[in-house]
């Protein structure tokens, strides 16, 4: 199987490339720039450098590579960035996918296209929505969430209107080694690693610790991507998550317990979202029934791996 990953140099893209290669796939990627994240895969992955906002470049790559499966991961996925510049986030995420689907349509190519959607689309969930299944209303409450609803509906429109074999995966929070510190668990782990290295005072600065999220390990998530490509139904939408809501406060406590030093916690108003969802947990019954997928990596192991990864990074950058 020949799989093309957009955003291959991102956090999930690198893990997905490694997983697919281990399963015997031929992997092609699209990235906007070079990345050290792909250094270990340089000889195993064919990477094309292009911006998905350039429709001609997208068309040329698809005509050359003709993949069996596309994993469309590329997006601006940072909520604070979306709040600061909603127009750029919406145009980037929606037009990038539109150019991809239009190129496939005009080239008369119809691979399985896995579209990375998000639990953020459910937005302002109500208590009686939890655990959230695919029939829950979409109530996006930030520009990133809106952009992903638009991507979700665009993929559905191309299935209904043109027969494109799109499959939408609504991923709940996923974490793991190599994730950046723009996201909450990486931000905690980086600060702890810097404190241990003597590069920061023994204080972890935090946002809202009361929110509860459904955290999956990225290595479980990339297995789900492959299973979706092999077994999911085109035109369908599937939630991916553990079904367990964990408070951010508990995640921070677990990371601090793994540390070798004494650490204080202080709130940071700059890390607070203007609108936040108190609790969300996933009902992934539809996907599990279709593919047999289940998460295998416990949160405790994930957090150990994340903190060890940040310790290596901090030591490397010293």
């Amino acid at each position: 199987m020949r799989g093309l990953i957009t955003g291959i140099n991102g956090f999930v893209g690198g893990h997905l490339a490694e997983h697919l290669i281990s399963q015997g796939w031929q992997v092609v990627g699209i990235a906007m720039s070079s990345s050290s994240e792909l250094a270990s895969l340089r000889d195993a992955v064919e990477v094309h450098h292009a911006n998905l906002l350039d429709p001609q470049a997208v068309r040329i790559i698809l005509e050359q590579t003709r993949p069996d499966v596309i994993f469309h991961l590329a997006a601006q996925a940072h909520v604070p960035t979306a709040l600061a510049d909603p127009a750029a986030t919406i145009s980037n995420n929606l037009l990038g996918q539109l150019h991809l689907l239009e190129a496939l349509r005009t080239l008369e190519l119809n691979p399985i296209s896995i579209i990375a959607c998000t639990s953020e689309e459910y937005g302002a969930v109500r208590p009686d929505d939890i655990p959230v299944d695919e029939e829950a209303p979409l109530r996006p409450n930030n520009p990133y969430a809106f952009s992903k609803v638009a991507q979700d509906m665009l993929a559905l429109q191309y299935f209904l209107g043109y027969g494109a074999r799109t499959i939408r995966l609504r991923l709940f929070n996923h974490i793991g080694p190599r994730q950046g510190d723009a996201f909450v668990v990486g931000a905690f782990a980086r600060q702890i690693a810097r404190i241990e290295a003597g590069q920061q005072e023994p204080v972890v600065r935090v946002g809202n610790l009361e929110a509860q999220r459904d955290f999956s390990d990225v290595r479980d998530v990339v297995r789900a991507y492959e299973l979706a490509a092999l077994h999911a139904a085109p035109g369908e939408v599937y939630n991916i998550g553990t079904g367990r809501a964990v408070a951010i406060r508990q995640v921070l406590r677990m990371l601090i317990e793994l540390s070798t030093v004494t650490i204080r916690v202080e709130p940071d108003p700059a890390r607070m979202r203007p609108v936040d969802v108190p609790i969300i947990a996933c009902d992934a019954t539809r996907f599990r029934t279709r593919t047999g997928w289940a998460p295998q990596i416990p949160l405790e192991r994930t957090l150990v791996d994340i903190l060890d990864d940040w310790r290596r990074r901090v030591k490397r950058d010293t």
Side-chain angles (χ1 to χ4, degrees):
M1 294 280 281
R2 185 172 176 83
L4 185 149
I5 303 171
T6 71
I8 194 170
N9 58 336
F11 164 56
V12 180
H15 282 282
L16 179 58
E18 289 174 346
H19 174 73
L20 294 178
I21 289 167
S22 75
Q23 299 302 304
W25 287 61
Q26 183 181 7
V27 176
V28 178
I30 298 178
M32 285 186 62
S33 59
S34 299
S35 171
S36 59
E37 297 294 331
L38 294 174
S40 63
L41 301 175
R42 189 172 293 117
D43 296 332
V45 175
E46 174 189 330
V47 178
H48 297 259
H49 297 292
N51 189 331
L52 297 184
L53 297 182
D54 180 347
Q56 185 60 25
V58 173
R59 181 185 174 90
I60 289 170
I61 292 169
L62 291 174
E63 192 168 24
Q64 291 175 346
T65 60
R66 297 181 173 267
D68 301 300
V69 179
I70 293 176
F71 301 92
H72 179 44
L73 311 184
Q76 193 304 99
H78 188 227
V79 172
T81 298
L83 289 166
D85 192 349
T89 294
I90 292 167
S91 61
N92 178 83
N93 292 355
L94 185 56
L95 290 178
Q97 182 174 309
L98 178 63
H99 294 159
L100 191 70
L101 293 173
E102 267 296 282
L104 292 172
R105 184 182 68 83
T106 58
L107 289 168
E108 298 185 346
L109 300 175
N110 199 9
I112 291 289
S113 294
I114 308 295
I115 307 299
C117 299
T118 173
S119 61
E120 287 277 350
E121 296 176 48
Y122 296 114
V125 295
R126 297 171 180 168
D128 56 358
D129 292 331
I130 298 170
V132 178
D133 67 18
E134 294 85 354
E135 303 308 314
L138 304 182
R139 302 187 187 98
N141 61 3
N142 63 67
Y144 166 66
F146 169 78
S147 75
K148 299 304 284 187
V149 170
Q151 284 189 243
D152 195 321
M153 294 299 101
L154 184 66
L156 178 60
Q157 184 249 303
Y158 267 72
F159 169 75
L160 294 173
Y162 303 117
R165 294 192 293 163
T166 56
I167 297 168
R168 295 160 288 145
L169 300 186
R170 291 181 186 154
L171 287 303
F172 284 60
N173 296 67
H174 39 292
I175 58 176
R178 305 205 302 263
Q179 189 172 31
D181 63 342
F183 298 90
V184 62
V185 179
F188 291 161
R190 179 177 183 270
Q191 291 183 76
I192 292 169
R194 283 174 49 80
I195 291 167
E196 291 178 344
Q199 299 178 12
Q200 177 178 321
E201 63 176 324
V203 177
V204 172
R205 292 176 173 83
V206 302
N208 177 18
L209 296 180
E210 304 311 316
Q212 297 180 49
R213 296 291 180 264
D214 187 326
F215 291 104
S216 296
D217 190 293
V218 67
R219 293 161 290 191
D220 281 330
V221 166
V222 297
R223 287 193 301 106
Y225 274 111
E226 183 190 24
L227 288 169
L230 298 176
H231 303 297
E236 266 294 2
V237 60
Y238 300 92
N239 285 346
I240 309 294
T242 68
R244 174 191 177 202
V246 180
I248 304 296
R249 182 180 300 279
Q250 181 180 347
V251 172
L252 176 59
R253 177 183 58 78
M254 293 167 71
L255 284 168
I256 289 175
E257 288 176 352
L258 293 170
S259 178
T260 59
V261 296
T262 301
I263 293 172
R264 302 194 316 273
V265 176
E266 292 184 0
D268 180 356
R271 298 174 186 267
M272 301 288 184
R273 289 191 189 183
V275 180
D276 210 348
V277 177
I279 181 172
I280 191 167
C282 174
D283 182 343
T285 301
R286 179 183 294 178
F287 189 71
R288 293 188 188 202
T289 300
R290 180 80 189 194
T291 68
W293 176 85
Q296 297 176 348
I297 302 173
L299 179 60
E300 293 78 7
R301 177 185 156 192
T302 303
L303 295 180
V304 168
D305 291 348
I306 291 171
L307 186 53
D308 284 345
D309 175 60
W310 271 108
R311 287 167 172 154
R312 286 190 293 270
R313 287 203 250 183
V314 166
K315 183 178 181 180
R316 179 194 66 200
D317 297 339
T318 300

